[in-house]
Amino acid sequence: MDAALVTRLRADLLAAHYTVDRLRQLWGDDADAALARGDRVPAVRALNGVAPSPAATLARLFVLGEATTDAQLDAALPTLGAAGARQLGLVGADGRALLDLRPYSSIDGSGAVDWVIASDLGELALGTALPPDHVLGVGGASLTLAALIPTEPVDSVLDLGTGCGIQSLHAARHARRVVATDLSARALDRARLTLALNGISATDESGRAGTAAVELRQGDLFAPVAGERFDRIVTNPPFVITPRRDGVPLYEYRDGGRVGDAIVEQVVRGAADHLTPGGTAHLLGNWEYRDQLAGDGLTRVRRWIDEAGLDGWVVERERQSPAEYAATWIRDGGTRVGTPEYERLAGEWLDDFAARGVTAIGFGYVLLRRPVAPGLPRLLRAEALSSPLGTPAGIGDHLLVCLRAHDAIATLDDEALGALRLQVAPDVTEERHYWPGDENPTVIRLRQGGGFARTIDADAALAGLVGASDGELTVAEIANALAHLLEVDEGALREQLLPQVRELVATGLLLTD
């Protein structure tokens, strides 16, 4: 990769205002939504009705897959020019894009960013199914993982399986040093270009290219970082459960070469050897639900974490039947429902699941932490939460808050918990429903605005305790006052409320400080 040419390209992209907002202005919200569904017709029609501009030319070329002329390229990329674009491998002799260069925007706790991401051309531009060595751009899983990355600064981050490099960009905002690995040399090439286009230099193990924020290394899973530990690990591993059968295509970006969900288990267990004390790992994954002898999926993931000696929190966001799962990933590879090839592949997938007793597949998030010191109570939590998130961009930070809340109360007995002065989180609201004419509510719900947007069914006592938690009175004092008000036994009410208080603290609805 010619660094001077990339510098010119970056300058031209900035000058063209090649951003998500600019393209949405050019073709409108409806066309933008259609593109997300793989339909470019509305965007093409919209661009046909606007005046030529560098941003429009670049969008036609790199997003919509249309050919361009040298004159158009020279106008859109005046510093780089058409000749430089071909030298960089961006455009072929026929004027069509050889890479996908797509604007990306995001907001996290450190503010907003506008980046350009380099990846391989997708189905829209290729017009065919994806090749096995395809390097994926920013998809739904990438966006989900980006939301799981905390914004609290750390010294070191491992981006395991970097792909196009999007997570390294996010990680570099909050870390002094980032190491990004991938089994695919092609992916590392795309990541190197992505980093350079956004002003971040990259090195290989030799340190070539000078001081950098991100070091790129090639290898399988943790092999490139053997013996090293990191404060934070982020990974969207190739977790898709694809049959290991002849004639079933395997894609490097999604298929990890293991049977079933073994790659997620390997990542979970391997993280234990690569986290500093108190370090956290944030990953996505699939897990299989098998027959009664093997146990359910969440239980299996929880066991992996326990046996690795880690703290862990597993959140299942979706569960699919084998048929639904097979259809999702066969279509992802570009094979359409109703074709003979689709039916052949669906049969292979369903035969594989049936042979291994798989009844369902779960998808979700996994948070891991290496305990700071031995002997402390560990967090081992696994739950299914399918409701919409509160603030997706802040899930990683929310989970860190919950980890610290666990640490604060894990060693407290009921008497010590009752002595705490808690505060209701600022995003918590209360909802009450009444039968017409009744004085007392029939339903009381506490709603969390951020995090996982939990809804808690409450009675008058719990709602009263939460409402009175302003940091002035202790939990025990509030509970005793409520007992008098509700004319119930103090001890019985405390016994009822304290486990509920523990859960509200652990999930961020009540704060310890």
Side-chain angles (χ1 to χ4, degrees):
M1 185 175 69
D2 189 315
L5 292 179
V6 174
T7 299
R8 294 180 191 176
L9 172 61
R10 180 169 185 258
D12 286 337
L13 294 175
L14 290 171
H17 302 291
Y18 189 54
T19 65
V20 170
D21 286 345
R22 176 60 177 142
L23 298 196
R24 192 178 289 122
Q25 289 171 1
L26 287 172
W27 52 47
D29 291 339
D30 290 342
D32 206 58
L35 275 173
R37 301 190 300 268
D39 178 7
R40 65 182 169 191
V41 173
V44 171
R45 291 171 63 88
L47 290 185
N48 288 341
V50 302
S53 68
T57 297
L58 296 172
R60 288 182 183 276
L61 175 65
F62 292 118
V63 177
L64 303 181
E66 294 188 351
T68 189
T69 65
D70 280 7
Q72 291 170 326
L73 261 183
D74 286 338
L77 302 172
T79 307
L80 180 67
R86 279 193 289 272
Q87 190 175 341
L88 269 179
L90 305 179
V91 181
D94 60 356
R96 293 188 179 275
L98 299 177
L99 288 181
D100 186 304
L101 293 183
R102 193 172 298 249
Y104 167 87
S105 65
S106 180
I107 300 176
D108 63 19
S110 299
V113 293
D114 285 296
W115 293 324
V116 176
I117 309 300
S119 64
D120 284 341
L121 296 173
E123 281 182 72
L124 199 67
L126 291 175
T128 62
L130 301 176
D133 61 351
H134 179 77
V135 178
L136 191 67
V138 178
S142 301
L143 297 174
T144 300
L145 181 58
L148 291 175
I149 301 177
T151 58
E152 181 177 283
V154 292
D155 183 68
S156 59
V157 173
L158 170 61
D159 176 11
L160 189 73
T162 188
C164 67
I166 178 62
Q167 306 306 336
S168 285
L169 285 178
H170 281 287
R173 284 162 59 77
H174 316 296
R176 184 186 65 80
R177 182 175 71 95
V178 178
V179 175
T181 69
D182 206 288
L183 180 63
S184 166
R186 185 184 185 90
L188 293 176
D189 285 342
R190 302 294 179 262
R192 186 175 287 105
L193 179 56
T194 292
L195 294 167
L197 287 176
N198 298 287
I200 297 177
S201 56
T203 66
D204 57 20
E205 292 95 327
S206 68
R208 201 165 48 202
T211 302
V214 178
E215 181 182 332
L216 301 175
R217 303 184 192 178
Q218 186 177 2
D220 187 30
L221 293 183
F222 294 103
V225 293
E228 297 181 58
R229 294 187 182 273
F230 298 86
D231 301 317
R232 184 174 296 155
I233 297 172
V234 298
T235 181
N236 177 18
F239 56 72
V240 175
I241 302 169
T242 302
R244 301 292 171 244
R245 295 170 175 238
D246 291 341
V248 178
L250 301 178
Y251 296 93
E252 288 183 354
Y253 72 87
R254 72 179 205 191
D255 299 312
R258 279 74 167 173
V259 175
D261 52 20
I263 194 165
V264 178
E265 178 181 1
Q266 191 172 349
V267 170
V268 168
R269 294 182 186 276
D273 295 325
H274 295 280
L275 286 172
T276 59
T280 58
H282 311 261
L283 59 138
L284 306 180
N286 277 162
W287 35 87
E288 294 180 337
Y289 286 77
R290 299 178 182 170
D291 55 37
Q292 293 295 324
L293 295 178
D296 70 278
L298 285 173
T299 298
R300 293 174 63 245
V301 182
R302 189 180 185 276
R303 186 180 72 246
W304 302 338
I305 297 169
D306 189 13
E307 292 174 353
L310 296 170
D311 293 326
W313 192 336
V314 188
V315 178
E316 183 176 274
R317 297 290 295 160
E318 183 179 4
R319 191 179 303 174
Q320 291 185 323
S321 70
E324 291 172 318
Y325 188 86
T328 297
W329 294 107
I330 294 170
R331 291 197 305 264
D332 177 78
T335 302
R336 299 305 174 200
V337 175
T339 63
E341 178 64 3
Y342 175 88
E343 295 185 2
R344 183 188 72 81
L345 289 174
E348 296 283 4
W349 286 63
L350 295 179
D351 286 347
D352 176 66
F353 285 136
R356 294 185 296 104
V358 177
T359 58
I361 301 93
F363 165 82
Y365 321 147
V366 181
L367 168 65
L368 306 172
R369 181 177 66 171
R370 186 181 178 201
V372 177
L376 295 177
R378 286 169 55 200
L379 172 66
L380 289 170
R381 184 180 181 116
E383 58 185 328
L385 295 173
S386 58
S387 58
L389 299 177
T391 51
I395 292 297
D397 291 326
H398 169 74
L399 285 171
L400 285 191
V401 169
C402 292
L403 272 181
R404 290 184 179 126
H406 165 267
D407 295 343
I409 66 171
T411 59
L412 301 183
D413 60 16
D414 284 352
E415 183 177 353
L417 181 67
L420 292 180
R421 289 175 167 81
L422 302 177
Q423 293 185 358
V424 61
D427 63 337
V428 173
T429 57
E430 183 184 281
E431 173 186 302
R432 294 186 177 223
H433 295 263
Y434 297 80
W435 289 115
D438 280 4
E439 293 184 2
N440 298 317
T442 56
V443 176
I444 305 175
R445 292 193 179 101
L446 303 173
R447 294 193 180 275
Q448 186 179 44
F452 289 108
R454 296 174 188 273
T455 298
I456 308 297
D457 290 325
D459 59 11
L462 182 61
L465 187 146
V466 171
S469 294
D470 58 3
E472 295 295 324
L473 298 175
T474 68
V475 172
E477 288 169 340
I478 296 172
N480 291 340
L482 286 169
H484 289 293
L485 181 65
L486 298 172
E487 298 181 342
V488 297
D489 180 73
E490 289 184 3
L493 187 61
R494 284 198 304 274
E495 187 175 344
Q496 170 194 323
L497 287 175
L498 288 177
Q500 296 174 308
V501 168
R502 285 188 186 276
E503 177 66 8
L504 294 182
V505 172
T507 52
L509 282 83
L510 288 175
L511 306 178
T512 58
D513 52 29

